[in-house]
Amino acid sequence: MNEAVFSQIAMLVFLTGLIGWMGFIVWDLAKKSQAGKFGTMALFTVLGAGVVGFLIKTVLVEVMQI
């Protein structure tokens, strides 16, 4: 396994963990602030939009390199 393959695998694993950790933080924030259903949905929508934007950017970069 060379350095490039290791870096790609490590980024995938740690980025997935980071996204999960951010989801837990948002859930905990919504719970502690008593945001309710609408507030919790709004918080997760904003977080989800950021994650989807990152995924779209990653896919576009890979497609444009081909």
Side-chain angles (χ1 to χ4, degrees):
M1 175 184 304
N2 61 15
E3 191 268 335
V5 173
F6 176 77
S7 294
Q8 189 173 10
I9 293 171
M11 182 176 157
L12 180 64
V13 169
F14 288 123
L15 191 62
T16 303
L18 178 65
I19 290 170
W21 186 50
M22 287 172 32
F24 172 75
I25 290 171
V26 171
W27 174 77
D28 191 49
L29 176 67
K31 184 178 172 184
K32 286 183 180 177
S33 67
Q34 298 175 350
K37 289 182 182 180
F38 181 74
T40 302
M41 185 177 62
L43 288 168
F44 275 105
T45 300
V46 171
L47 175 66
V51 171
V52 168
F54 180 79
L55 292 174
I56 289 172
K57 179 196 73 112
T58 303
V59 168
L60 286 174
V61 167
E62 291 297 322
V63 168
M64 294 184 82
Q65 287 181 353
I66 295 177

